[in-house]
Amino acid sequence: MASITERGAELRRLHHAPELLQVVNVWDAVSAKVVAALPETRALATASHSIAATFGYEDGEHIPLELMLDMVGRIAATTDLPVSADLEAGYGDAGDAIRRAIGVGVVGANLEDQVRPFDDAVAAVRAAVAAAEAEGVPFALNARTDVFLRGAFPSPEQNAEEAIRRGRAFLDEGATCVFVPGRLDEDTVSRLVAGLGVRTLSVIAVPGSLSPARLHELGVARVSYGPWTQRVALAALQRTAAELYAGGVLPDGVPVLN
């Protein structure tokens, strides 16, 4: 199995490579195994929303960090691929959260700013980077700003300007890339790439988002899918249950993935 140093270096490389890094989010050991088994998978990323839902918690750091990290560690233990964890806003101590995540085998993380005051958001990124450096592990910090999700300003242009301001500061502190979630149109993605730099922007895909091919053409570094992968799986489960209750039978040819 690759060492944690090798996995960390690989995750950093994947973020800066010419190709778009697609990470299909997972939420437990078996979903990780299923996605990791695909030859196209180069890295895994957890979804905090999905892990919280697995244990019956609402999203937003309601799940105890210990329980979140236990599942993240189980996911990392299933694969030789690099794993990035969604650590929300750092659970009150971004540096400690990063240190503990590395301890369970993680080599990258999302860290959201929740549109906190600028200096506080930058300080959290600084603490996260310092914690990874102290552990001696190459680490891919996907520093997230929520200006679009929270509608910090009344216009997309103003939100983009603030995302770029924060993102540049995060990059200056050592973040690998800047995560700007939201349903972003092509003009906004282009503006963000121009302001942050090619292969430094990370986005989330939601229904109606730009295709991976177009994101690649625009210079995006990474695209993830957040809780939507779990929602697709749960929708399929509920649909199957409804068909069985209606007198249906299990379809032939279902692969045994567990």
Side-chain angles (χ1 to χ4, degrees):
M1 183 172 183
S3 70
I4 191 169
T5 299
E6 291 169 330
R7 284 178 279 132
E10 175 64 3
L11 188 58
R12 293 279 292 271
R13 185 194 71 79
L14 288 170
H15 281 83
H16 296 307
E19 302 81 18
L20 176 72
L21 174 60
Q22 280 186 268
V23 284
V24 176
N25 297 82
V26 299
W27 57 91
D28 60 12
V30 70
S31 62
K33 287 181 180 179
V34 167
V35 175
L38 295 171
E40 298 86 355
T41 302
R42 295 172 290 165
L44 293 178
T46 72
S48 64
H49 188 129
S50 300
I51 293 176
T54 296
F55 288 105
Y57 290 94
E58 294 292 326
D59 190 29
E61 298 190 355
H62 293 288
I63 184 174
L65 178 59
E66 292 76 14
L67 189 54
M68 175 70 76
L69 289 177
D70 178 74
M71 182 62 85
V72 168
R74 290 172 186 271
I75 289 168
T78 68
T79 181
D80 200 30
L81 295 171
V83 175
S84 178
D86 184 350
L87 297 179
E88 305 193 65
Y91 291 80
D93 187 334
D96 181 63
I98 296 294
R99 178 185 60 79
R100 293 172 66 180
I102 291 172
V104 299
V106 165
V107 292
N110 291 359
L111 183 68
E112 60 197 51
D113 68 356
Q114 299 180 339
V115 199
R116 289 176 292 183
F118 180 85
D119 289 345
D120 292 344
V122 174
V125 171
R126 184 183 306 122
V129 171
E133 290 177 347
E135 295 299 311
V137 175
F139 198 83
L141 184 66
N142 196 32
R144 167 176 152 174
T145 179
D146 295 323
V147 293
F148 278 92
L149 278 185
R150 299 191 176 221
F153 296 93
S155 73
E157 293 77 15
Q158 289 172 303
N159 283 318
E161 182 179 345
E162 179 63 8
I164 291 167
R165 182 173 82 102
R166 287 172 177 253
R168 284 176 174 170
F170 298 163
L171 293 170
D172 287 344
E173 293 294 341
T176 305
C177 55
V178 179
F179 183 22
V180 185
R183 186 173 173 177
L184 308 178
D185 60 24
E186 187 164 321
D187 287 344
T188 299
V189 171
S190 297
R191 185 178 292 111
L192 291 170
V193 170
L196 295 169
V198 173
R199 303 288 178 250
T200 58
L201 174 65
S202 173
V203 300
I204 188 171
V206 301
S209 290
L210 299 174
S211 70
R214 187 59 184 139
L215 292 173
H216 169 71
E217 292 169 353
L218 293 172
V220 172
R222 164 176 165 167
V223 60
S224 56
Y225 300 88
W228 285 97
T229 49
Q230 187 185 57
R231 289 168 181 167
V232 169
L234 293 175
L237 173 61
Q238 189 179 68
R239 184 168 55 250
T240 298
E243 291 169 355
L244 294 174
Y245 289 145
V249 297
L250 289 172
D252 293 330
V254 175
V256 180
L257 299 177
N258 62 348

